[in-house]
């Protein structure tokens, strides 16, 4: 069995450090603040649950949280206006935009409006572009979480073979770019990649972010590999119960990598670290704001 990359434990460590940094900022007279924009509509249920959780997490860490609920029927211009107002407000350190936006709105355009220094989800093209420059402080949180998990195993990334399954803008592509920045030899796979099993089975580091339950099987895993499972898939078990699984067939892959390998579980893996990294980005944005103009 492989060793577990414990996301809950890692997240708790990140949160402890954040709480300390929030206190230091308070001593300097800075109240760290995150503002979230939520456009009400048919598909806002998940965003609302997420927003409530976020309010609690902020409050636990001493971060002020403001939710801006824009009523159903608002236009893209209204959303743009709100984002610009938050950009201009010196009390707001961090901005996030809940997705999905209504179909009529251009998500890319709205994300592009968020001031890069306040863009704690790392969705503004400037922040995504900065990853290529090796500056990933406000990069997409899930990608940062994956890197943090890999680093926690102390694997030597330089020259290692890394395979990233999935190439979305918020997970697969930034993870691949960050691994390249660490001088790994990176193969990016998508649903059209041929002989993916053969590629995966040579990987020292394997990141699964396809959204396909149980995609990565025993034969895909190299003994001693580091496996990070990003997938969050809701499936119905044989007994009819619903549960959350990742993209990796955990038991068999854990067996395949053996005691020298590392594997992250789902749930309790990338998810909690992603949430903690968002908070870390909020604090980093507040700290950087204090140094603006230096
Ligand atoms: P996406 O749908 O935007 O992209 C999926 C990618 O996987 C695409 O590049 C696609 O080509 C590739 N893919 C699909 N099927 C494949 C296959 N059979 N073989 C190889 N590649 C395949 O997905 P996303 O937003 O990047 O999310 C991926 C998964 O990660 C989902 O399960 C999602 O729920 C999860 N996720 C988790 C977190 C977290 O914090 N833990 C955050 C974001 C996404």
């Amino acid at each position: 069995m492989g060793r577990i990359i414990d996301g809950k434990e890692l997240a708790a460590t990140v949160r402890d450090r954040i709480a300390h940094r929030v206190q230091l900022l308070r001593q300097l007279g800075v109240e760290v603040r995150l503002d979230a924009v939520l456009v009400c509509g048919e598909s806002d249920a998940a965003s609302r649950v997420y927003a409530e959780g976020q309010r609690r997490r902020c409050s636990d860490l001493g971060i002020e949280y403001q939710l801006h609920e824009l009523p159903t029927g608002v236009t893209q211009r209204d959303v743009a206006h709100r984002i610009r107002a938050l950009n201009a407000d010196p009390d707001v350190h961090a901005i996030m935009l809940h997705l999905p936006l209504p179909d009529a709105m251009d998500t890319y355009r709205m994300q592009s409006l968020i001031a890069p220094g306040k863009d704690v989800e790392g969705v503004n093209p400037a922040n995504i572009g900065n990853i290529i420059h090796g500056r990933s402080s406000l990069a997409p949180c899930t990608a940062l979480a994956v890197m943090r998990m890999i680093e926690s195993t102390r694997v030597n990334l330089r020259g290692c073979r890394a395979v990233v399954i999935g190439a979305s803008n918020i997970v697969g592509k930034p993870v691949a770019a960050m691994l390249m920045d660490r001088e790994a030899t990176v193969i990016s796979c998508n649903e059209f990649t041929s002989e993916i099993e053969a590629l995966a089975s040579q990987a020292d580091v394997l990141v699964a972010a396809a959204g396909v339950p149980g995609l990565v099987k025993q034969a895909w895993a190299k003994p001693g590999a580091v496996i990070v499972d990003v997938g969050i898939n809701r499936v119905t078990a044989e007994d009819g119960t619903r549960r959350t699984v990742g993209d990796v067939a955990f038991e068999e892959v854990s067996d395949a990598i053996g005691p020298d390998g590392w594997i992250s579980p789902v749930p309790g893996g990338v998810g909690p670290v992603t949430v903690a990294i968002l908070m870390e980005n909020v604090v980093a944005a507040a700290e950087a704001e204090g140094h603006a103009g230096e």
Side-chain angles (χ1 to χ4, degrees):
M1 295 292 274
R3 291 166 284 181
I4 301 289
I5 310 173
D6 186 335
K8 285 190 192 156
E9 202 179 292
L10 200 53
T13 312
V14 173
R15 277 197 305 271
D16 284 349
R17 275 190 250 129
I18 299 170
H20 179 65
R21 287 160 67 184
V22 171
Q23 289 313 319
L24 285 179
L25 283 161
R26 180 161 293 145
Q27 284 164 18
L28 297 170
V30 177
E31 291 298 328
V32 181
R33 179 170 149 188
L34 165 66
D35 284 41
V37 176
L38 192 159
V39 180
C40 301
E42 279 170 20
S43 49
D44 67 9
S47 294
R48 281 176 186 285
V49 173
Y50 185 72
E52 266 322 300
Q54 202 161 47
R55 182 186 297 285
R56 280 197 304 275
R57 283 187 289 271
C58 283
S59 142
D60 289 348
L61 293 168
I63 296 172
E64 197 182 322
Y65 177 77
Q66 295 272 348
L67 180 63
H68 302 260
E69 294 186 59
L70 305 187
T72 309
V74 287
T75 62
Q76 179 162 301
R77 188 183 293 237
D78 297 325
V79 178
H81 182 73
R82 184 61 62 105
I83 292 173
R84 288 199 179 97
L86 295 174
N87 285 345
D89 185 340
D91 291 336
V92 177
H93 302 109
I95 301 169
M96 64 161 289
L97 179 61
H98 280 286
L99 298 183
L101 293 175
D103 289 343
M105 294 187 193
D106 181 341
T107 301
Y108 172 81
R109 238 180 115 188
M110 293 301 100
Q111 291 176 328
S112 304
L113 288 178
I114 301 171
K118 298 188 179 188
D119 168 35
V120 282
E121 289 185 299
V123 291
N124 182 297
N127 282 326
I128 299 206
N130 270 331
I131 297 171
I132 301 297
H133 292 282
R135 293 166 180 260
S136 52
S137 52
L138 291 186
C141 304
T142 306
L144 283 174
V146 169
M147 291 305 293
R148 199 65 70 84
M149 294 178 88
I150 294 170
E151 282 158 5
S152 76
T153 70
R154 299 182 189 275
V155 64
N156 181 13
L157 284 173
R158 179 174 282 174
C160 87
R161 276 182 204 214
V163 170
V164 182
I165 303 177
S168 70
N169 289 345
I170 58 155
V171 190
K173 282 189 212 166
V175 166
M178 287 180 198
L179 287 166
M180 282 167 68
D181 190 56
R182 301 290 304 276
E183 294 170 314
T185 302
V186 183
I187 297 175
S188 161
C189 303
N190 59 54
E191 59 196 296
F192 304 106
T193 302
S194 60
E195 297 176 22
I196 195 165
E197 177 181 321
L199 295 171
S201 65
Q202 293 176 25
D204 304 304
V205 171
L206 179 63
V207 178
V212 180
L215 176 69
V216 176
K217 301 185 179 59
Q218 187 162 27
W220 296 41
K222 177 179 171 181
V226 174
I227 314 264
V228 177
D229 189 353
V230 187
I232 299 179
N233 309 295
R234 293 288 290 164
V235 297
T236 306
E238 275 172 17
D239 62 2
T241 53
R242 301 273 292 158
R243 60 196 184 99
T244 302
V245 299
D247 287 359
V248 176
F250 183 86
E251 298 294 337
E252 58 183 86
V253 171
S254 178
D255 269 349
I257 57 175
D260 292 336
W262 290 90
I263 184 165
S264 73
V266 176
V270 178
V273 183
T274 301
V275 171
I277 294 278
L278 176 75
M279 295 295 147
E280 193 177 70
N281 278 356
V282 171
V283 179
E287 288 169 345
E289 220 268 324
H291 295 108
E294 279 179 8

